[in-house]
Amino acid sequence: MNIPEWFQDPRIKDISPAKLTFLLNLAQQIEGKNQKQAMPVLVGAVASASRQNLQFTPEEFQLIFEIMKEGKSEADKRQMDETLKKAQKMMKGKK
């Protein structure tokens, strides 16, 4: 298993291990996919998180995305921001 650099960031130390493992698996599933390809994976992840009773706070979600965006190109950052917005809308709809 290839552990991404963001997974070692000390800012995520207060996020539960179950959530981090979930995110690591999700990151591996969407790696290299464009937004259109990643959205079905994200939709499935939202449902899976719900079944596992994993609820991310908006602050956790924002922090993780900020860490993941570090070192990316501006185009990649914009795409990640759009993906985050769509994921947040999906999560609000599942509550």
Side-chain angles (χ1 to χ4, degrees):
M1 180 186 298
N2 204 9
I3 307 294
E5 192 174 310
W6 64 265
F7 199 75
Q8 306 300 323
D9 193 293
R11 293 173 286 179
I12 64 172
K13 69 177 175 41
D14 293 329
I15 298 176
S16 78
K19 288 180 182 180
L20 292 174
T21 299
F22 177 84
L23 289 172
L24 181 60
N25 291 331
L26 177 59
Q28 290 174 336
Q29 290 176 36
I30 64 173
E31 186 175 344
K33 291 181 170 45
N34 63 34
Q35 186 176 1
K36 185 176 181 179
Q37 295 167 324
M39 287 312 294
V41 177
L42 290 171
V43 169
V46 170
S48 178
S50 179
R51 286 191 303 274
Q52 296 176 46
N53 292 321
L54 292 176
Q55 296 180 351
F56 292 88
T57 67
E59 294 81 13
E60 288 173 333
F61 224 81
Q62 187 67 37
L63 173 62
I64 291 161
F65 259 72
E66 289 305 314
I67 292 169
M68 291 174 73
K69 289 187 327 184
E70 290 175 0
K72 303 283 187 201
S73 70
E74 289 305 313
D76 286 343
K77 288 179 183 180
R78 280 191 299 277
Q79 183 176 358
M80 290 177 79
D81 286 338
E82 287 186 28
T83 302
L84 173 61
K85 288 177 189 172
K86 289 182 179 185
Q88 287 173 328
K89 285 180 184 178
M90 286 188 297
M91 290 180 77
K92 286 180 184 176
K94 296 287 182 186
K95 288 184 179 179

